[in-house]
Structure formats: C-alpha cells, structure tokens
Amino acid sequence: MALRLHNTMSSQVEEFRPLRDNEVRMYACGPTVYDYGHIGNFRTFIAVDLLQRFLRQSGYKVRYVMNITDVDDRIIHNAARDEVSVQQYTAKYEKVFLEDTAMIGIERPHLVRATEHIPQMAEFVARLVEKKIAYRADDGSYYFRIASFPAYGKLSKKDFSGMIDGARVDVDEYDKDSARDFALWKAPKPGEASWDTPIGPGRPGWHLECSVMSMEELGESFDLHAGGEDLVFPHHENEIAQSESLTGKTFARFWFHVRFLLVEGEKMSKRLGNFYTLRDLVLKGHKPSSIRYLLTSVPYRNQLNFTFDGLKQAAVSVERLCNFRERLSAGNFPAGSTPEMQSLAGESVERMKAALDDDLNTAQAQAAIFEMVRRANSAIDSGQLKAGDAAPLLAALDRFDEVFAVLNDDDAAKMKAVFQWALAEGREKEISTELRDQVQADQTSNVAIEGKIAEMEAARKARNFAVSDALRTELVSAGVIIENTKDGVRWRRK
RNA sequence: GGCGCGGUACCCAAGUGGUAAGGGAGAGGUCUGCAAAACCUUUAUGCGUCGGUUCGAUUCCGACCCGCGCCUCCA
C-alpha cells in the first residue's frame, strides 16, 4: 500500500506520489528566530519530521529543506530593543532552535537562511515587475498585484473576485493598488537592516523568501510544502501566487498543514498563562521523550490537547516500551523460535506501516506496537518466547522508533544541558525540584550504584531484608529504579 | 458575517453502516521475602442533543447546543 496524505489544495486524502521516482522533495516553513520556540511550534516541526522519517523508511530518498527567517519586523524590533545587531540577535535564537530541535528528536533538515539569498530575491521581484505582476510603490517597496493571478485563493478556498479595491486600505498602505496586494519587498525605514540591490534598498517580505529558497533548492515544482495550519492564508497562498505567476507551473503538489494544539483545553497564549516553550517544560522536570511522544500521539490533523496529565501518561508509555526492549535484549530465553512470535513481529510492522500510510495515523501505529508489546510480554511470562524471537520483535520496535524517535534514552544528558543553560541565563529560579532531582540522580556514578546494588544483593542473600530494603530505598530516592529479575538485578535511572 | 474542524469511558485518544483500538489512571488477581517490572480480569448496551434515512447509525442527512481554527502577526 502506498502513502495517502491529506492535501490542503484538494481538501482530500490523496495517494502521495513524488514527481520523480523514489525522490521526495519537500519544504517546510521554519522558524522566525526571534525567541524561544514553544510547544505549538514543535508540534508542527515534529509532525513534518515524522513524515520525513516515514518517507525514508518507506524507501524514498528525501530532500527536506527548511528555511530560517532571520530578518523580519519582530527581529528588527527586538534586536533594537536589546541593542545588538540583527545578526547577533538571530544567531542566538538560531542556535537555540537547533538545540531545541535536536533535544526533541528532530533530524536536521537542510537549512536555508533568508539573509543568504537576498540577491536571488531581488532578482525574483525584478522578474515579476518585468511581467507586470509586481509593482513598485512610491516609497520603494514592491507589491504583488493579486488581480494578475486569478487563481488567488485556491489553497485557502477564499473568493476574492468580489473584493472591492481600497476597501480596507490603512494609513501605511496608501500607495498599494489594492488593499489585498501584499509586500514582496519592503523599503527600509530609518535605522532598519537593509540590503542594496538592483531593485533598490530594502529587505525581503516573508512570503518571498520561501518561494525563492524553495524553488532554488528543490526546483520550480516540487512534491510537498508543509507548515502550521495558520500559514494556509496568507503565507502559502501568497507563495503560490508569486511562484506560479512567475513560472507558470504548479509550485508544490501537496500542501501539508498541521493543526494547532490546545493547552489544558484552551488556546495557548501568554495572556492565559498556558504558553510554554520546550525549555519551560524541561525546567519543570519533563523529559524530552515524553514531550515528543505526547506530541506525536495525536494524528497531525486533529486538535491535540496538551496537558500535564497527558505528559505524565506519555512518560509512562515510553517507559513501558523501554522496559520491553530491555527485557527482550537482556533476557535469557530457551533456544529456538516460534512461528507465533515471528508472525507477531511481521504483523506489527505491517500494521504500523498501514497506519502511517493512512495519512500518518500515529495513534493507530502506537496501538499496533503496544499490542505487540503486550502479546510478547505475555509470551515471555508463560515461557513461550524463544531466543530466536527476540531479534524480529526488537527489529519491529526499532522500526517504530525510526519514525517516533522516543526510545533513545538520552533524556538525562538533554535535561542536564537545559539545567546548565538555566544557570548560565540566570534563570535558576525556574528550575523545578523535579529537574534538580533528575540532574542529581544522573550525577551518582554507575560504579557507586553498582556497589550499592552488590551490597543490597549480599544482604538479600543473607535474608537480611531490613538492610537490603534500606539500601534499595536509598537508591530509589537517588533516582535509581531497581528490579530483581530471575536473571539478576536490573537497574536504570528514573 | 464567510470558510473549515471537532464533541467517543475517570483522563488522553483511534475507529467503523452491522454492534466500540491503544495508552494512562482505578479495582481485583498472578509472580516476588517485600517491592519493581510483567501478565490476567475488570471499567462506554454507549460514541453532544433531538429528529430523519436504513433491516440496522456512534458512523449517512438535517436542526440545535457546546468547543476550536482561519479570515490580521501567529506553528
């Protein structure tokens, strides 16, 4: 079965086939690097990352490009406020973005920066002017003439045919031909960052950069363009207008939009006090793997209600999968293999693929893996599972994690990094006791832990349970989880 | 006002014109010196409300109620 994806352009779930055999060219609108990213941003980026991972798992070569918007009004404003250059300002937040995406398990796309493509953007505008699609306003800004592109509105399903020119012209937009016409190129205001180009001084508009960079990297027509649902209009609509009126070709064939999330049942906003950056959550003691799991557990087109209760549940779910993997890889099973477990592994892989093929139904894919875990655990308990069954089951789990990326067990180091960042930024007050404990637990050395465990085991052998229990309590409070299995003691950090 | 999405158990959340996945939490049990892990049993005659179509609807249609999104910067 082939992948079927919802396409905003057709409002339908369609079979996804790339233009070129075996190669997918996709573009995602990335961050404007003016602040720390919030969990809503990351829902989108994780969804696109998951798509990209699944495409590769399905055998495609994926060329995935993401832009970094490193010049815009907010950046200019904030840089001025902080009395640093635009470049210094964006460098900081680009670094933050890269750290955050790595923390949340996003594989790095090929990144392109707006400020590194200024000449191409100016050239793009010049070509649109030549075709009389763009025009220059008195102040030196350039606008796109929407009236020249009759298909305008086809993505967002808006009808502009009845628009009355000038109906909503505001003071700043007095010299546009039509109020709806959008800026391609903004003339510099005093003190603003600007570039000297053949079309005059200024800086690119946001819509322009995505058109120019995506076509430069992927060609005039490519397979898929992604972003948050809010970008459908006007951003993506404008990209289409610019690009297609210049090339006369279909710009992107599939439009992939990720729905906004809710936080505790309400729209996330600073006003409501439910606005969280990724780092805020880690400061509260939540693991990156829990956050990623929660953000992938609801299919990307459904509204996801992000709650702290859900975050705890996600942590337990991830732990269950990790425990299972540990149990399979460390256990001693009788030689041989069973047809039941072999086919269970195969069926589970099939079910996961079928679920993801169905417009990335991550919830179904997770259900499939849990079903496998339960049945395999059951087989282990009843002594049915054989040594030769472990490999295919582990392979199925790996296959799951190639896409979901939650089982790496590298949370401790990531949390420690956030801990240190908070200290460096003077934000130690925001470090929760939970995070403090996590970092503390990580500092107890393996040798020390294993020493304690040896003592505990000696006491247990001597049936001195008071001593062994005391040692175990001590270890547990240091964040170490102890399990006595029939193959010996197994321990791990919380 | 225009366009669009959703309301499923205590919580999160899939799904289908033929009788409700999965996870978490709760309860009981198995195993264990005790825990932990794991497993088993159990928790919606019910899928916002009211009508309609149908042999049969949670699933299709209509109305209504509620929540949410876009239409302006926003992932």
Side-chain angles (χ1 to χ4, degrees):
Chain A
M1 211 175 93
L3 173 62
R4 294 173 60 77
L5 275 184
H6 183 267
N7 185 354
T8 308
M9 187 60 83
S10 67
S11 303
Q12 284 181 333
V13 176
E14 300 173 23
E15 186 165 322
F16 177 81
R17 288 238 180 269
L19 284 158
R20 295 178 190 158
D21 281 351
N22 230 38
E23 184 192 13
V24 174
R25 288 167 292 161
M26 57 188 274
Y27 182 92
C29 292
T32 300
V33 282
Y34 72 104
D35 206 347
Y36 291 95
H38 56 72
I39 51 176
N41 298 119
F42 288 107
R43 182 192 193 189
T44 298
F45 297 139
I46 288 172
V48 182
D49 176 64
L50 193 136
L51 167 65
Q52 174 269 132
R53 284 168 176 266
F54 182 59
L55 285 167
R56 278 194 295 112
Q57 186 176 79
S58 300
Y60 290 112
K61 180 171 169 257
V62 177
R63 179 149 174 82
Y64 173 24
V65 176
M66 179 186 276
N67 72 303
I68 301 257
T69 298
D70 56 357
V71 58
D72 91 322
D73 293 339
R74 287 164 300 185
I75 289 171
I76 290 167
H77 173 264
N78 290 2
R81 179 198 64 198
D82 294 357
E83 296 176 332
V84 296
S85 72
V86 162
Q87 206 160 24
Q88 283 171 312
Y89 188 84
T90 57
K92 173 182 173 178
Y93 287 102
E94 179 176 317
K95 181 166 172 281
V96 165
F97 174 73
L98 295 176
E99 287 168 0
D100 282 357
T101 48
M103 179 158 69
I104 203 74
I106 292 172
E107 290 181 326
R108 170 123 30 131
H110 178 65
L111 296 171
V112 288
R113 289 165 198 82
T115 56
E116 292 171 358
H117 295 77
I118 302 293
Q120 295 93 314
M121 294 185 204
E123 152 107 42
F124 191 101
V125 174
R127 286 166 66 199
L128 285 174
V129 171
E130 235 169 77
K131 290 189 139 194
K132 307 248 189 289
I133 291 162
Y135 57 91
R136 185 179 186 279
D138 293 343
D139 70 344
S141 294
Y142 287 82
Y143 291 93
F144 181 90
R145 181 176 284 114
I146 285 177
S148 73
F149 190 68
Y152 193 75
K154 67 178 175 177
L155 181 70
S156 53
K157 315 291 181 282
K158 292 181 194 302
D159 182 4
F160 290 93
S161 57
M163 288 297 298
I164 299 162
D165 280 1
R168 295 179 56 209
V169 176
D170 67 30
V171 186
D172 287 344
E173 296 169 338
Y174 62 92
D175 54 359
K176 285 196 216 175
D177 286 358
S178 160
R180 283 280 172 180
D181 288 355
F182 57 88
L184 293 162
W185 183 263
K186 297 185 179 187
K189 292 182 182 134
E192 278 187 1
S194 96
W195 285 260
D196 283 317
T197 72
I199 61 166
R203 61 189 166 89
W206 177 41
H207 314 303
L208 180 67
E209 66 172 85
C210 283
S211 284
V212 170
M213 293 193 288
S214 61
M215 290 200 284
E216 179 173 307
E217 295 289 335
L218 301 173
E220 292 180 341
S221 289
F222 54 94
D223 299 303
L224 185 139
H225 195 127
E229 63 169 331
D230 58 311
L231 300 185
V232 174
F233 189 89
H235 185 52
H236 290 162
E237 197 72 72
N238 290 353
E239 282 187 54
I240 291 169
Q242 294 159 356
S243 307
E244 297 192 352
S245 54
L246 187 67
T247 67
K249 296 175 186 163
T250 300
F251 178 47
R253 291 175 60 236
F254 270 79
W255 290 87
F256 180 92
H257 291 106
V258 182
R259 199 142 183 221
F260 271 15
L261 53 69
L262 255 39
V263 174
E264 300 289 349
E266 294 187 281
K267 181 170 176 165
M268 179 169 65
S269 73
K270 287 183 174 159
R271 186 177 56 79
L272 288 169
N274 64 355
F275 184 96
Y276 299 107
T277 65
L278 190 56
R279 295 180 190 213
D280 288 339
L281 296 177
V282 176
L283 284 173
K284 285 175 181 292
H286 298 287
K287 296 176 178 181
S289 64
S290 310
I291 300 167
R292 181 170 170 112
Y293 184 91
L294 178 56
L295 291 176
T296 55
S297 62
V298 177
Y300 76 98
R301 285 203 300 130
N302 294 1
Q303 196 163 58
L304 180 154
N305 187 13
F306 190 97
T307 66
F308 285 99
D309 189 41
L311 213 39
K312 282 186 208 137
Q313 295 179 10
V316 180
S317 298
V318 171
E319 211 176 301
R320 187 166 145 90
L321 295 176
C322 286
N323 282 336
F324 174 71
R325 185 171 61 181
E326 184 61 28
R327 197 178 188 203
L328 264 192
S329 39
N332 287 319
F333 307 109
S337 66
T338 64
E340 290 79 11
M341 289 299 111
Q342 301 287 324
S343 63
L344 173 62
E347 281 163 24
S348 301
V349 168
E350 287 302 307
R351 276 183 67 191
M352 284 190 281
K353 173 160 171 51
L356 295 173
D357 271 340
D358 182 16
D359 198 24
L360 301 181
N361 193 329
T362 47
Q364 294 278 24
Q366 289 178 349
I369 202 72
F370 276 102
E371 174 98 22
M372 183 187 89
V373 169
R374 200 190 71 240
R375 286 169 62 185
N377 266 323
S378 208
I380 295 173
D381 281 358
S382 63
Q384 306 278 303
L385 189 129
K386 301 287 171 57
D389 297 331
L393 290 168
L394 283 169
L397 194 61
D398 281 348
R399 216 169 153 75
F400 171 84
D401 208 48
E402 274 173 25
V403 176
F404 284 88
V406 290
L407 304 179
N408 237 336
D409 200 21
D410 52 3
D411 288 319
K414 292 170 172 175
M415 293 173 87
K416 193 170 173 183
V418 170
F419 181 87
Q420 281 162 349
W421 159 81
L423 294 181
E425 290 280 312
R427 295 174 67 168
E428 61 265 30
K429 277 188 192 146
E430 296 172 50
I431 300 172
S432 64
T433 54
E434 287 81 3
L435 178 61
R436 234 173 252 287
D437 289 349
Q438 292 270 5
V439 172
Q440 214 93 53
D442 198 47
Q443 273 157 1
T444 317
S445 76
N446 288 10
V447 177
I449 291 169
E450 277 156 15
K452 293 268 186 208
I453 289 174
E455 276 181 59
M456 190 185 86
E457 282 303 282
R460 279 188 66 217
K461 275 221 175 81
R463 301 192 70 77
N464 191 347
F465 296 125
V467 171
S468 72
D469 286 354
L471 283 162
R472 186 168 62 200
T473 308
E474 190 186 322
L475 284 165
V476 166
S477 57
V480 179
I481 294 168
I482 311 286
E483 289 170 23
N484 296 321
T485 71
K486 58 174 183 280
D487 300 321
V489 179
R490 184 188 138 203
W491 68 272
R492 64 202 148 88
R493 294 172 202 277
K494 203 167 149 189

